[in-house]
Amino acid sequence: MNVLKKVVNTLIAECRGRGVYHTFLMYASYLMGILRAFVNRLLYWNNMKASIFALQSNSRIEAYSKHAKIHIGKFVFIRKHTSIRVDHHGELHIGEKVFINDSCHINCANRITIGRLSKIAPNVSINDHDHNYRHLGGEHLMKGEVIIGENVWIGSNVVILRDTYIGDNAVIAAGSVVKGRVPANTVFLNKREKSYIPYAN
């Protein structure tokens, strides 16, 4: 009964603040996102374990290997134009109530974990691998992992590279390139200046 009362009060507050028409459009968009996520889950039923989550228009979750594993917690919300790809023996874990904004790219070939309650701003790129551009070995990918803790805020246009570990409650400033360890409860700001490193053949 308390849950129903809370839902009704929330709807009333939204209608007063946004207007009835716009509240209806917003919740219709949410419902379509939940349906789209359900269809995506059916497509990859053998790869994906998920609770109720939302996947808005022009966003995709793709598994390109029978070994790929995708775990999505309840009430994850993925906005528009986001691409999530899991390949090879990759394992992607997204904790509950994670929010992923527009036009993000997550590429997993080994292991990526995003902790519960974390929020990711638009145009963020997360990769757990690099291409072996020198072709020194037989493997064309250099694989690592990305572990993002709980309640982490990642700003717009951030690039997170392989072998990165971000502690709980950390904030990654917009435009940063992150590789390595970011301690919990800290703000990471990556100031980049132009530098040129000779290419070794």
Side-chain angles (χ1 to χ4, degrees):
M1 196 67 177
N2 288 335
V3 174
L4 181 60
K5 186 177 179 182
K6 186 177 179 180
V7 169
V8 170
N9 287 339
T10 300
L11 284 172
I12 291 170
E14 292 283 5
C15 288
R16 286 179 179 162
R18 301 176 188 272
V20 174
Y21 175 71
H22 290 91
T23 298
F24 171 78
L25 289 180
M26 181 179 73
Y27 280 99
S29 173
Y30 290 171
L31 179 59
M32 290 300 296
I34 292 169
L35 292 174
R36 189 175 291 106
F38 180 73
V39 170
N40 213 267
R41 185 178 172 187
L42 288 178
L43 287 173
Y44 298 108
W45 63 273
N46 200 35
N47 301 94
M48 188 184 299
K49 292 182 180 178
S51 184
I52 296 173
F53 73 103
L55 185 68
Q56 290 203 310
S57 60
N58 297 314
S59 287
R60 296 181 62 114
I61 300 174
E62 299 168 316
Y64 284 139
S65 167
K66 66 180 181 180
H67 306 291
K69 299 297 179 189
I70 302 165
H71 306 267
I72 300 178
K74 61 185 177 182
F75 307 128
V76 168
F77 193 89
I78 301 168
R79 293 198 67 184
K80 299 177 180 179
H81 306 290
T82 286
S83 170
I84 297 174
R85 175 176 174 168
V86 184
D87 206 347
H88 304 289
H89 286 77
E91 288 190 26
L92 172 66
H93 297 260
I94 301 177
E96 65 180 40
K97 297 183 181 177
V98 166
F99 176 80
I100 301 174
N101 216 316
D102 298 326
S103 303
C104 292
H105 300 278
I106 299 173
N107 295 299
C108 176
N110 187 44
R111 184 176 180 84
I112 294 176
T113 299
I114 302 172
R116 61 190 294 274
L117 300 173
S118 291
K119 294 176 174 58
I120 300 176
N123 302 308
V124 169
S125 178
I126 302 173
N127 299 278
D128 67 356
H129 59 280
D130 292 322
H131 287 278
N132 187 3
Y133 65 92
R134 293 182 179 179
H135 301 291
L136 296 177
E139 189 68 45
H140 75 286
L141 293 179
M142 297 182 291
K143 299 175 186 176
E145 62 181 5
V146 173
I147 308 295
I148 298 170
E150 296 184 358
N151 195 40
V152 171
W153 169 252
I154 299 173
S156 299
N157 301 304
V158 166
V159 177
I160 298 176
L161 303 174
R162 68 182 171 94
D163 296 329
T164 293
Y165 308 89
I166 300 174
D168 296 346
N169 309 307
V171 176
I172 310 299
S176 295
V177 176
V178 190
K179 184 175 174 66
R181 293 191 176 271
V182 177
N185 306 300
T186 59
V187 177
F188 178 91
L189 173 61
N190 177 219
K191 290 185 177 180
R192 287 174 292 153
E193 297 180 1
K194 288 183 180 178
S195 60
Y196 302 92
I197 300 171
Y199 181 84
N201 291 324

